Amino acid sequence: MGARQAIVVDWGTTSFRAWLVDLDTAERLGEIPSGRGMKDVAAAEYPAYCHAMLSRWRERPDPPPVYMAGMVGAPTGWLFAPQPPLPVSAADLAAQVVAAPGLPDAWIIPGCRVDTADPDRVDVMRGEEVQIFGALALLDRRDGILCLPGTHSKWATVEDGRITDFHTFMTGEMYRAALDATILGQGVPASAPWDEAAFLKGLEAARQPGGLLNRLFTARGRRLYRDLGPEAVPSYLSGLLIGEEFRAAAEMAPSADPVPLIGAEPLRRPYEAAARAFGRAKQWVPAADATVRGCIDVIRQRP
Amino acid sequence: MGARQAIVVDWGTTSFRAWLVDLDTAERLGEIPSGRGMKDVAAAEYPAYCHAMLSRWRERPDPPPVYMAGMVGAPTGWLFAPQPPLPVSAADLAAQVVAAPGLPDAWIIPGCRVDTADPDRVDVMRGEEVQIFGALALLDRRDGILCLPGTHSKWATVEDGRITDFHTFMTGEMYRAALDATILGQGVPASAPWDEAAFLKGLEAARQPGGLLNRLFTARGRRLYRDLGPEAVPSYLSGLLIGEEFRAAAEMAPSADPVPLIGAEPLRRPYEAAARAFGRAKQWVPAADATVRGCIDVIRQRP
């Protein structure tokens, strides 16, 4: 039976999740909801840790194969799996999986990259590519623009089931850096409640000219002389940065079409609010659903 | 004789400098080159520390007055001196100095701010305003656009000796945050030599579309698959951020005129290189010269 089952592992910096899946029905047969993130496991222990976590599904005569996407293939991960250049389909990924050393029948899906003649038009993703294929399957689509919010948000263009272009925006990481490492975060409480009004002010500020280095500093002026209390700063900055992302994404892949959003639950509220404000609201696809379904679609294409 | 002399203090977060000046000739009669920054002195000790540092010039029958610009007037400084709105001349500042509590005949120059009907067109400066008046005097000008590179760079428009507009760009602070608090700084040596070629690549990348959140991530793609070694990342990011500043500044105050640069010596090389690349190269004015001269010009306008 193992031939029609597989194990999908989502092993990130701070978390480990795994699913046993039926490849014919795309059903989830079992889940390991939590384990240690890669940063909490020594690199030399990756095979043994993974083996131990998955033993309940692997200790049988015909064990299902293991497929992993995301950070495990990064230079700082289990094994560096170089990203193939675009365009990339699920079948292309299936043809280029890399064996994970130390664990039998375990495979790393390699991500993908933009590679052009322009010296700075290079871009990379790792993990989001399976989420894109998963979202396309869940939404029954083969074309369009998709947004994957996150530490490094991705906006991807898909044509006839292939990823043909994408842009990364360092939205989540610059949000954290602005709050933690600049004057804008001074005196801001560590956990402030979501403030929709402040978020919308930030979105509006992002639509004005000046560029991000200037727009960010409006948080300082507004706090000193206007309407921004310390507890409203995180929501304002969130609106400012997500607004800049939506503004720039529309400039890079000109379109006003609604975009499906594929992300983790904490990003749902701000990204849905931004999509509404920019007239691009569409479905929300939970990132884990997209990961599982995308891995299944890649595995189905394996020889 | 004290009536025609004054003490100018430049007290920042990390440094303290003071000059005894002749108000008639604008000559420097003496200098205290270094002392403790505000972050290394308890707030309650500011008057006593300042008094002790300046005692050699103040212990005489007719002690010269003390004038301070910059962070001493910030909410976290000696006393919050609210910034008057633009337009502002040296005479306007002279009329609005604030007595520094605890030290006789000591005054804080209050900075200035942009205040408009537009909810997010508010901007603040504190310290740069005296540098602007000082640079105008040193360059014998009353009009034009000036650039003051720094943690928070300022681009100011001056008309007939008054500051009429300015924009802040968080260039220096976001450079530090990107290196210290994001993936872009991973594995980058703490002190990397200046790399002009990498700086120019960053400048060029900043001229391309995509917005800063996307442009920054080119440092990641180029490092993984192109031409950017870890030791070149700081210069590349410096070029990218300063390039974004020049791009946005030209958008906000449309002009291709050369701009005088007023800043601290470590910023001279990158900002002069950027000004050349954008065809806007002009004089360099050391920040300390501009501070001393600007304070003198404000003090001269005191009743």
Side-chain angles (χ1 to χ4, degrees):
Chain A
M1 290 308 301
R4 300 311 301 165
Q5 289 185 4
I7 296 167
V8 170
V9 172
D10 179 15
W11 201 0
T13 307
T14 58
S15 66
F16 177 104
R17 291 175 77 182
W19 297 266
L20 179 68
V21 297
D22 182 307
L23 292 174
D24 294 317
T25 62
E27 235 180 317
R28 305 176 192 189
L29 307 174
E31 177 173 359
I32 294 165
S34 67
R36 283 190 276 154
M38 301 195 78
K39 76 172 178 56
D40 297 319
V41 177
E45 301 301 321
Y46 289 158
Y49 182 77
C50 199
H51 174 78
M53 288 297 284
L54 306 179
S55 58
R56 74 170 83 154
W57 297 327
R58 294 267 284 184
E59 285 174 355
R60 58 195 206 192
D62 186 10
V66 177
Y67 285 86
M68 301 177 274
M71 289 303 291
V72 288
T76 53
W78 186 329
L79 176 77
F80 179 44
Q83 287 131 319
L86 298 184
V88 154
S89 65
D92 295 329
L93 290 180
Q96 296 185 65
V97 299
V98 175
L103 195 67
D105 206 7
W107 307 90
I108 295 170
I109 299 171
C112 59
R113 76 177 199 270
V114 173
D115 184 24
T116 72
D118 182 345
D120 81 14
R121 247 328 259 140
V122 53
D123 206 333
V124 289
M125 69 166 62
R126 192 178 285 289
E128 295 89 353
E129 72 291 343
V130 297
Q131 296 181 344
I132 290 168
F133 294 120
L136 291 174
L138 293 169
L139 301 171
D140 195 21
R141 293 180 61 164
R142 293 178 59 78
D143 294 277
I145 293 172
L146 294 85
C147 168
L148 298 97
T151 304
H152 301 156
S153 288
K154 312 286 180 185
W155 286 67
T157 303
V158 178
E159 297 170 270
D160 193 23
R162 296 171 158 235
I163 304 171
T164 55
D165 197 14
F166 68 86
H167 288 85
T168 299
F169 300 92
M170 294 184 68
T171 312
E173 197 164 27
M174 294 312 290
Y175 167 78
R176 249 323 1 125
L179 273 179
D180 291 350
T182 80
I183 195 173
L184 304 182
Q186 275 183 12
V188 171
S191 73
W194 163 260
D195 179 336
E196 175 122 8
F199 180 85
L200 293 175
K201 286 177 191 172
L203 274 187
E204 186 52 37
R207 290 167 177 258
Q208 308 307 316
L212 187 60
L213 294 176
N214 169 258
R215 298 286 81 203
L216 281 168
F217 200 65
T218 60
R220 179 73 179 161
R222 289 178 90 138
R223 189 156 158 207
L224 286 171
Y225 290 104
R226 294 269 168 93
D227 49 357
L228 204 63
E231 71 298 325
V233 168
S235 294
Y236 181 79
L237 289 178
S238 175
L240 195 51
L241 289 161
I242 295 174
E244 161 66 11
E245 178 184 329
F246 270 76
R247 184 201 65 71
E251 181 188 318
M252 299 314 291
S255 164
D257 289 349
V259 281
L261 300 167
I262 300 117
E265 192 58 28
L267 296 176
R268 181 167 188 168
R269 189 153 53 174
Y271 273 84
E272 286 192 333
R276 279 195 304 274
F278 279 79
R280 304 191 72 174
K282 189 118 176 163
Q283 304 93 328
W284 177 266
V285 180
D289 293 355
T291 296
V292 173
R293 181 54 193 261
C295 282
I296 289 171
D297 278 27
V298 169
I299 302 165
R300 283 175 173 171
Q301 306 276 345
R302 287 278 284 159
Chain B
M1 288 307 301
R4 299 312 300 164
Q5 290 183 5
I7 296 168
V8 170
V9 172
D10 180 14
W11 200 359
T13 308
T14 59
S15 66
F16 176 105
R17 291 175 77 182
W19 297 266
L20 179 68
V21 297
D22 182 307
L23 292 174
D24 293 318
T25 63
E27 234 179 317
R28 302 175 192 190
L29 306 174
E31 177 174 359
I32 294 165
S34 66
R36 283 190 276 154
M38 300 195 79
K39 75 174 177 55
D40 296 319
V41 177
E45 301 301 319
Y46 289 158
Y49 182 77
C50 199
H51 174 77
M53 289 297 284
L54 305 179
S55 59
R56 73 171 84 155
W57 297 327
R58 295 267 284 183
E59 285 174 355
R60 58 195 206 193
D62 187 11
V66 176
Y67 285 86
M68 302 178 274
M71 289 302 292
V72 290
T76 52
W78 186 328
L79 177 77
F80 179 44
Q83 288 130 318
L86 298 183
V88 153
S89 65
D92 294 329
L93 291 179
Q96 295 186 64
V97 298
V98 175
L103 195 67
D105 206 7
W107 307 90
I108 296 170
I109 299 171
C112 60
R113 77 177 199 269
V114 172
D115 185 25
T116 72
D118 182 347
D120 82 13
R121 251 322 263 141
V122 54
D123 206 333
V124 289
M125 69 165 62
R126 190 178 288 287
E128 294 90 351
E129 70 293 343
V130 297
Q131 296 181 344
I132 290 167
F133 294 121
L136 292 173
L138 293 169
L139 301 171
D140 195 21
R141 292 179 62 165
R142 292 178 61 78
D143 294 277
I145 293 172
L146 295 87
C147 167
L148 299 98
T151 305
H152 301 155
S153 289
K154 311 287 180 185
W155 286 67
T157 303
V158 178
E159 296 171 90
D160 194 23
R162 293 170 161 237
I163 304 171
T164 55
D165 198 14
F166 68 87
H167 288 85
T168 299
F169 300 92
M170 294 183 68
T171 312
E173 197 164 28
M174 293 314 288
Y175 167 78
R176 235 1 320 143
L179 273 178
D180 292 349
T182 80
I183 195 173
L184 305 181
Q186 274 181 14
V188 171
S191 73
W194 163 258
D195 180 337
E196 174 123 8
F199 180 85
L200 294 175
K201 285 177 191 171
L203 275 187
E204 185 53 36
R207 290 165 177 260
Q208 308 307 316
L212 187 60
L213 293 176
N214 169 258
R215 298 286 81 203
L216 281 168
F217 200 65
T218 61
R220 178 74 179 161
R222 289 178 91 137
R223 190 157 159 207
L224 286 171
Y225 290 104
R226 295 270 168 93
D227 49 357
L228 204 63
E231 71 297 327
V233 168
S235 294
Y236 181 79
L237 289 179
S238 175
L240 195 51
L241 289 161
I242 295 174
E244 161 67 10
E245 178 185 328
F246 271 77
R247 185 201 66 69
E251 183 187 319
M252 298 316 291
S255 164
D257 290 349
V259 280
L261 300 167
I262 300 115
E265 192 58 27
L267 296 176
R268 181 168 187 169
R269 188 152 54 174
Y271 272 85
E272 287 192 334
R276 279 195 304 275
F278 280 78
R280 305 192 72 172
K282 189 117 177 166
Q283 304 94 326
W284 177 267
V285 180
D289 294 355
T291 296
V292 174
R293 180 56 192 261
C295 283
I296 290 170
D297 278 27
V298 169
I299 303 166
R300 282 175 172 172
Q301 306 276 346
R302 287 278 286 159

